[in-house]
Amino acid sequence: MANAVRLLRTTFSHEKSISWFPGHMMSGLREMRDQMRTVDLIVETRDARIPLSSINKQFEQVIKGKRRVVVYNKCDLAPTSIQPVVRKVMESRNQRTLFTDTNINKSVKQILDVARETAKSDPMRYPQLVVMVIGMPNVGKSSLINALRRTGLNRGKAANTGAKPGVTRTVSGRIRVLDSPAVYLVDTPGVMIPHIPDPITAIKVALTGGIKDNIADDTVLADYLLFRLNRLDHTDYSAVLGINQRTDDISEFLQLLGTKIGALRRGGELDTDKTIQFFLRAFRQGRFGQLCLDELDEPSVTTFFKNNMEDAPLSKNQAQKAKRAAQRQRSLEKARSKNLI
């Protein structure tokens, strides 16, 4: 048993947020909006390890009242104890919530059941049901689609997957996942929030793989992960990593871990990058057990929605851009109504 660590930090402070919104995400949002009139059901996919931080408020404008089910994927990596809490929070916001593990057919079947239920509710309206799968990067949308196809049709992969964010870059064609009733899925690129106002929320998204590692500061991610492991105190991470003590100091920790895994350069100098990547990979692979990085007590939930879901006042430049975008959208809809495009 490793020595108990004297926790020096009760809070984690970081002032610089992370922005990552490449062009394909803006294009993806535009394509989603353009296809929305042909979509019957939205499956909004989030990461169960960050049930609040993986919410993208931009989707609210795109969905605009469409029937939706929220799917918390990767639930095998998060404590089951959070599920009733998250369900209660989301139901208070009129969001039906499911938890899925794409490796288990029974888990994935919940979504097919919702699709069946929707299609059978009005067969004349839904001769075939079109489901659009949306979510932030690396929440497992494409893996979910492949699992739905495997479960519904006993067929192989239809969507490309990868451990890094940004594998899907365009809205896909329709992918059949059920024959009776006929259900088709549309995959979409993961869309990040252009600016995450809370730096700690941005760290959580990056830590779970939602932001490319070269965009985020890996040392900050590792330091926050160490802080959280010490605060949660539910697993002996030092035993998992094979180091002989716990610490709250990131420099000391990296030296201990780097020495253990042999991440040393000539002369015994620590290879910091290699050590950090080993540490982050261990978390992402679930080696530290089931973790939830979001605080789910009532004050924390209220603060999250206040700070992250309410629109901040736009700058003059942002307001002008928003006005031009709205004008383009109105022109597009007007032309479409006259069958000009």
Side-chain angles (χ1 to χ4, degrees), residues 51-52 72 79-92 97 99 292 294-298 301 305:
L52 301 179
Y72 279 101
T80 56
S81 59
I82 71 165
Q83 295 186 16
V85 181
V86 174
R87 276 200 181 94
K88 183 178 179 181
V89 169
M90 296 309 153
E91 283 174 4
S92 72
T97 303
F99 289 82
C292 176
D294 283 333
E295 301 288 352
L296 296 175
D297 58 279
E298 190 171 335
V301 170
F305 283 110

Side-chain angles (χ1 to χ4, degrees), residues 31-43 62-68 118 125-126 128-134 171-172 174 184-188:
E31 288 182 69
M32 287 181 212
R33 195 175 285 113
D34 290 346
Q35 289 199 28
M36 197 55 60
R37 61 191 176 87
T38 68
V39 172
D40 304 306
L41 176 66
I42 299 291
V43 170
V62 175
I63 292 170
K64 289 183 177 176
K66 285 281 183 181
R67 187 177 298 206
R68 163 174 57 176
T118 304
R125 181 180 179 184
Y126 304 119
Q128 61 180 34
L129 192 78
V130 179
V131 181
M132 180 176 280
V133 183
I134 66 175
V171 174
S172 75
R174 295 181 181 182
Y184 294 86
L185 299 186
V186 178
D187 193 10
T188 62

Side-chain angles (χ1 to χ4, degrees), residues 6-261:
R6 184 171 66 90
L7 297 180
L8 302 178
R9 295 178 291 180
T10 57
T11 60
F12 188 92
S13 299
H14 186 66
E15 296 181 357
K16 185 178 179 181
S17 194
I18 307 167
S19 296
W20 182 55
F21 194 72
H24 76 270
M25 292 186 184
M26 178 63 77
S27 300
L29 267 180
R30 205 175 295 123
E31 288 182 69
M32 287 181 212
R33 195 175 285 113
D34 290 346
Q35 289 199 28
M36 197 55 60
R37 61 191 176 87
T38 68
V39 172
D40 304 306
L41 176 66
I42 299 291
V43 170
E44 183 182 348
T45 315
R46 300 173 186 167
D47 190 321
R49 295 169 296 177
I50 47 171
L52 301 179
S53 299
S54 55
I55 299 174
N56 188 336
K57 68 177 182 180
Q58 292 185 107
F59 294 146
E60 300 306 316
Q61 296 177 348
V62 175
I63 292 170
K64 289 183 177 176
K66 285 281 183 181
R67 187 177 298 206
R68 163 174 57 176
V69 58
V70 173
V71 172
Y72 279 101
N73 199 27
K74 306 186 182 183
C75 72
D76 54 310
L77 299 177
T80 56
S81 59
I82 71 165
Q83 295 186 16
V85 181
V86 174
R87 276 200 181 94
K88 183 178 179 181
V89 169
M90 296 309 153
E91 283 174 4
S92 72
R93 303 180 71 84
N94 298 314
Q95 295 178 10
R96 182 175 181 177
T97 303
L98 303 175
F99 289 82
T100 58
D101 174 357
T102 56
N103 296 310
I104 300 175
N105 288 357
K106 184 179 179 181
S107 174
V108 174
K109 185 176 175 291
Q110 298 175 92
I111 303 170
L112 296 176
D113 290 342
V114 173
R116 280 196 191 92
E117 172 190 310
T118 304
K120 290 181 177 180
S121 68
D122 193 341
M124 295 295 290
R125 181 180 179 184
Y126 304 119
Q128 61 180 34
L129 192 78
V130 179
V131 181
M132 180 176 280
V133 183
I134 66 175
M136 287 172 64
N138 211 38
V139 293
K141 298 181 308 301
S142 296
S143 295
L144 189 62
I145 286 176
N146 290 331
L148 288 165
R149 185 173 167 86
R150 180 191 72 229
T151 305
L153 295 176
N154 196 28
R155 294 184 186 174
K157 288 177 64 174
N160 292 326
T161 60
K164 295 182 179 180
V167 173
T168 304
R169 300 181 69 86
T170 60
V171 174
S172 75
R174 295 181 181 182
I175 302 165
R176 194 177 189 111
V177 293
L178 266 184
D179 284 329
S180 181
V183 176
Y184 294 86
L185 299 186
V186 178
D187 193 10
T188 62
V191 176
M192 181 53 61
I193 304 168
H195 173 70
I196 302 176
D198 176 30
I200 303 302
T201 298
I203 288 173
K204 294 174 186 177
V205 173
L207 192 52
T208 52
I211 298 174
K212 284 188 174 181
D213 284 344
N214 63 342
I215 303 294
D217 185 332
D218 287 350
T219 303
V220 173
L221 299 188
D223 192 20
Y224 179 76
L225 177 57
L226 178 65
F227 164 77
R228 289 295 293 178
L229 289 173
N230 279 322
R231 292 293 296 167
L232 290 168
D233 198 33
H234 85 295
T235 184
D236 191 348
Y237 65 84
S238 59
V240 172
L241 296 172
I243 56 180
N244 60 8
Q245 68 185 77
R246 297 170 65 186
T247 176
D248 198 37
D249 181 271
I250 187 61
S251 297
E252 181 183 11
F253 170 78
L254 292 176
Q255 188 65 54
L256 288 167
L257 180 58
T259 302
K260 174 62 182 178
I261 66 174

